Amino acid sequence: MVERRPNAIGLAIVATVYWGALFYWLRGDLLDGAADEQTRALKMFLVSFPYVGYIMWTTMTDLPENIREIPYIGRALKPVLWLLFVIALAYWGWVDEAAVGFLLVGVALLGLGAALALTCLLYTGTESSRLYGMSRLVDVYPSITKPEGHVRFNQKLWTTILVLIIYFMMTNVMIYGVSESTLDIFSSFRAIMAGAAGSIMHLGIGPIVTGSIIMQLFAGAKIINLDMQDSGDKQLYQGVQKLLVLFMIPIESIPQVYGFLDPSESLIIGFGIGWANAIIVAQLFLGSYLVFLLDELVSKWGIGSGISLFIAAGVAQSTFVGTLSPLPTVKGVPLSFDNPPSGALPMIFYTLRTATNSQLVSQNGFELILLNHANPVAALVSSIIVFLVVAFAESSKLELPLTHGKVRGHRGQYPIRLIYASNIPVILMAALLANVNMFTLLFWSHPVLSTVPILGRNGAWSKAHWFGAYEVGATTPSDGFAWYSSMVNGVGDWLIPLLNQTGDAYGHSLSQIMIHVFVYVFFMTAGSTVFAKFWIETTNMGAKDVAKQIERTGMQIPGFRKNPVVLERILERYIPPVTLFSGAFVGLLASGADLLGTVGNATGTGLLLAVGIILRTYEQIQKEQAMEMHPVLREFFGAD
């Protein structure tokens, strides 16, 4: 391979963007401040150069062998020095409280991202991708170690149960120092994000899924040229994705704290506004990083995926409460005809038992039961329909006949599911829309980001209303692209206005409401199709990988030569079309479920994901039990 040269254009762009952003941040003090303010701002600006330079040097070079072999210190010298650098910046921010945001966010965090980007652009090796410039960092990244041998089924089961218990405990650990008047940016996507508002699980799986989205889009668009069939490239891909998740946690934490998760007055009085915000960010970082480690623990030592487990657990909890809760709809108010139980079934029984026929007719009791309650009958019926449809789709599959090349009469099938790409594409697409909502909200209402030119509401040449507009105190969009692509949550958002021939609460016309429905369904369907293709390519589920897997077991398709190339050609007729169809089908099913609504405000997408996850987990348990009883099956499934 030809040795790469540094990308001069990319280097200039990254350097200009990063240091230009720092200059924009300090422009007031640098240009219009007094002499001491200019000196202070210049020092803060200049400290970014040695910080970025140190990270680039540590990522691009190895320490001398005699230093690396020093016990306890040698291999940890680079990260320890980086940590001391960050501690020095934090101490500077402690002394100068007004500088803590710039030093910890602008220098420590964004400087890390800029340094790694510059390192990749300076890479001059012969490997397939510039991401190999970060290979030294990937090799030392802390992670959950893989089991060296076979993990018994009972151990996997107890590990999964323990992780689930820890997850529920974390959703009840509230963030210390947050004021009561906070906004939940992910309120519409809470079931999918697998988090709990106001807790250290506030971000849920958002950073993990966002990191996966970015890597899959870059890999699918060939921006990062990695071959997922090569073990080295695949290992680098997974390592860089972990680094990106670690970077995305503060990226998603910081904007929420500076504008939505406001610190309490007591915390501000005790530490100052800068450090009060930093304390909340640290708690969000800790919670999200624990979620990341738990997901990795389940993937390596448990059953299934931690992300899927958390989503299913959260949706199951919401559905159970929304169906069976006997508590009144309005807390603190006694049960009555106007305030029935919040659960769907208790509400039906209570209303029919206590209300008279005249009340049911004159006070729209039947409409309350069917449509207007927090968990109406329509939502209960739609939840049952979604469950049945997903169960049928999960069980539908195409089976390719197989025979053993050496054992006569030994036959089998290789199943290609209708939902071949599972529910991951829907998770990725829903998370992408959640991030669109978050960043448009930030550019609309955040005190600093709203001044950004074009994107910000108060910035020069502002076009923010095109991207997304919001009512005061609201976290769901009311206009713009963010509204048209946002989740349609139940019949109240579209069917009731259509039947009543009236607009919605935001004043949209019926045509705008129907365009909203069409755009949301289109984005969910098309986006899930694209992510299904990317997911199959990056998880060894493509035709080439499946052909190798079947060939290793000694099986072959009857009537064809036992050759991986021939087997791959046959699988190419089925796997790519089924992959695209499964992505479109799951996206269409999820968006259709959102249109109907569900009990417990779990959203149609969340319920679809939960049902699919539960069925897949059950099948995974069956497979683990089969491998426990018949060890020869481990080779076929690639478990050893």
Side-chain angles (χ1 to χ4, degrees):
M1 298 180 66
V2 179
E3 185 171 349
R4 296 179 179 271
R5 295 181 179 180
N7 188 330
I9 297 178
L11 290 170
I13 292 175
V14 172
T16 301
V17 169
Y18 173 63
W19 278 289
L22 294 186
F23 179 82
Y24 182 81
W25 193 330
L26 298 173
R27 67 190 185 284
D29 291 339
L30 287 172
L31 300 179
D32 302 325
D36 56 341
E37 292 177 342
Q38 289 180 335
T39 303
R40 167 181 168 274
L42 184 60
K43 290 179 180 178
M44 291 193 297
F45 182 80
L46 292 178
V47 77
S48 62
F49 289 94
Y51 178 79
V52 171
Y54 173 76
I55 295 175
M56 293 175 63
W57 174 78
T58 57
T59 310
M60 297 171 62
T61 59
D62 292 319
L63 290 173
E65 189 68 25
N66 57 343
I67 296 179
R68 280 187 293 167
E69 291 180 354
I70 299 176
Y72 306 109
I73 300 177
R75 296 188 178 277
L77 183 60
K78 288 181 179 180
V80 167
L81 291 178
W82 172 80
L83 185 60
L84 291 175
F85 209 134
V86 174
I87 291 175
L89 294 175
Y91 177 75
W92 186 350
W94 182 268
V95 175
D96 185 359
E97 293 184 0
V100 62
F102 179 86
L103 294 173
L104 294 184
V105 178
V107 178
L109 177 62
L110 299 182
L112 176 63
L116 295 180
L118 293 172
T119 299
C120 292
L121 293 171
L122 284 170
Y123 178 72
T124 57
T126 58
E127 283 81 1
S128 58
S129 174
R130 292 187 183 274
L131 287 180
Y132 273 93
M134 292 193 291
S135 59
R136 293 179 179 85
L137 189 58
V138 170
D139 292 339
V140 299
Y141 182 85
S143 61
I144 303 295
T145 58
K146 286 185 177 181
E148 296 182 357
H150 172 65
V151 181
R152 298 187 63 83
F153 171 73
N154 287 340
Q155 184 178 351
K156 287 187 175 183
L157 184 61
W158 283 111
T159 300
T160 306
I161 294 174
L162 177 63
V163 168
L164 189 58
I165 293 173
I166 295 174
Y167 163 77
F168 278 117
M169 292 173 60
M170 291 171 60
T171 58
N172 289 280
V173 178
M174 307 310 292
I175 299 174
Y176 168 74
V178 175
S179 65
E180 296 181 359
S181 58
T182 59
L183 296 176
D184 183 10
I185 295 179
F186 295 130
S187 58
S188 301
F189 302 89
R190 184 50 63 191
I192 303 169
M193 303 305 289
S199 71
I200 61 172
M201 282 284 293
H202 187 84
L203 297 180
I205 62 172
I208 302 175
V209 178
T210 304
S212 178
I213 290 173
I214 295 173
M215 290 299 294
Q216 288 199 38
L217 290 177
F218 280 16
K222 304 301 180 184
I223 297 176
I224 52 176
N225 188 23
L226 292 175
D227 182 9
M228 293 298 108
Q229 313 297 329
D230 182 77
S231 60
D233 282 9
K234 185 177 180 181
Q235 184 177 1
L236 178 68
Y237 176 90
Q238 294 172 344
V240 173
Q241 182 170 309
K242 292 178 183 178
L243 292 174
L244 187 58
V245 169
L246 193 64
F247 186 73
M248 288 306 302
I249 293 174
I251 288 295
E252 293 195 1
S253 301
I254 293 170
Q256 295 204 46
V257 172
Y258 288 83
F260 303 101
L261 291 178
D262 299 322
S264 62
E265 293 185 6
S266 59
L267 193 66
I268 296 175
I269 293 173
F271 297 94
I273 183 63
W275 278 103
N277 287 329
I279 290 172
I280 297 177
V281 170
Q283 294 176 78
L284 289 175
F285 182 89
L286 177 62
S288 297
Y289 187 64
L290 287 176
V291 170
F292 173 68
L293 293 179
L294 290 175
D295 171 58
E296 198 171 3
L297 179 63
V298 172
S299 301
K300 295 179 179 179
W301 292 87
I303 299 174
S305 162
I307 291 178
S308 299
L309 180 68
F310 302 148
I311 292 176
V315 173
Q317 183 184 31
S318 300
T319 304
F320 181 82
V321 173
T323 304
L324 301 175
S325 175
L327 301 177
T329 303
V330 180
K331 296 181 180 179
V333 179
L335 290 173
S336 64
F337 177 80
D338 295 324
N339 187 35
S342 58
L345 295 180
M347 176 270 297
I348 296 172
F349 296 142
Y350 177 85
T351 304
L352 295 179
R353 182 174 59 86
T354 60
T356 63
N357 291 333
S358 60
Q359 282 182 309
L360 291 175
V361 174
S362 62
Q363 299 183 30
N364 297 324
F366 290 110
E367 185 176 347
L368 171 70
I369 295 174
L370 293 175
L371 295 175
N372 290 339
H373 187 261
N375 295 294
V377 172
L380 180 62
V381 172
S382 117
S383 299
I384 296 173
I385 292 174
V386 169
F387 180 86
L388 295 176
V389 171
V390 175
F392 173 77
E394 286 282 353
S395 62
S396 302
K397 55 190 174 183
L398 171 68
E399 295 183 339
L400 293 179
L402 298 175
T403 59
H404 201 284
K406 297 181 179 179
V407 182
R408 180 175 297 181
H410 182 68
R411 297 180 178 273
Q413 295 92 22
Y414 182 81
I416 301 177
R417 296 177 175 276
L418 176 66
I419 308 182
Y420 186 69
S422 71
N423 45 40
I424 298 297
V426 173
I427 298 176
L428 297 176
M429 192 60 208
L432 180 61
L433 293 180
N435 279 279
V436 169
N437 177 69
M438 182 185 75
F439 284 105
T440 53
L441 176 58
L442 291 172
F443 283 114
W444 181 263
S445 58
H446 192 275
V448 176
L449 294 180
S450 62
T451 62
V452 174
I454 301 178
L455 298 177
R457 179 187 182 185
N458 301 318
W461 314 293
S462 174
K463 301 298 179 183
H465 60 283
W466 290 1
F467 302 105
Y470 296 80
E471 300 295 328
V472 178
T475 59
T476 54
S478 59
D479 206 354
F481 173 77
W483 178 74
Y484 282 105
S485 62
S486 64
M487 180 182 297
V488 182
N489 195 6
V491 295
D493 283 1
W494 66 282
L495 182 58
I496 292 179
L498 187 64
L499 294 176
N500 295 333
Q501 290 295 299
T502 58
D504 60 9
Y506 298 122
H508 297 114
S509 64
L510 293 178
S511 59
Q512 289 177 311
I513 293 174
M514 297 314 297
I515 293 174
H516 177 201
V517 172
F518 173 79
V519 170
Y520 175 65
V521 173
F522 171 78
F523 269 93
M524 286 295 293
T525 305
S528 297
T529 304
V530 173
F531 279 122
K533 182 177 183 298
F534 291 167
W535 178 255
I536 294 302
E537 291 178 354
T538 56
T539 54
N540 294 336
M541 294 176 63
K544 186 175 182 179
D545 296 299
V546 173
K548 291 181 180 179
Q549 180 181 337
I550 295 176
E551 195 270 338
R552 284 199 306 267
T553 64
M555 305 293 283
Q556 66 185 71
I557 297 179
F560 295 90
R561 290 185 295 112
K562 185 182 178 182
N563 188 315
V565 177
V566 175
L567 188 57
E568 180 184 349
R569 291 176 182 172
I570 297 172
L571 292 173
E572 284 284 352
R573 304 174 188 174
Y574 301 98
I575 290 181
V578 171
T579 298
L580 297 178
F581 175 80
S582 69
F585 176 77
V586 173
L588 184 61
L589 187 60
S591 56
D594 287 329
L595 296 182
L596 295 176
T598 57
V599 292
N601 198 29
T603 72
T605 302
L607 185 60
L608 178 144
L609 293 175
V611 175
I613 289 167
I614 292 171
L615 293 175
R616 290 293 179 106
T617 303
Y618 175 72
E619 293 180 355
Q620 183 73 17
I621 291 174
Q622 287 184 316
K623 187 175 77 172
E624 292 287 344
Q625 288 179 318
M627 288 191 294
E628 194 76 14
M629 297 173 61
H630 307 284
V632 71
L633 293 176
R634 296 177 201 159
E635 181 181 354
F636 178 78
F637 290 113
D640 284 343

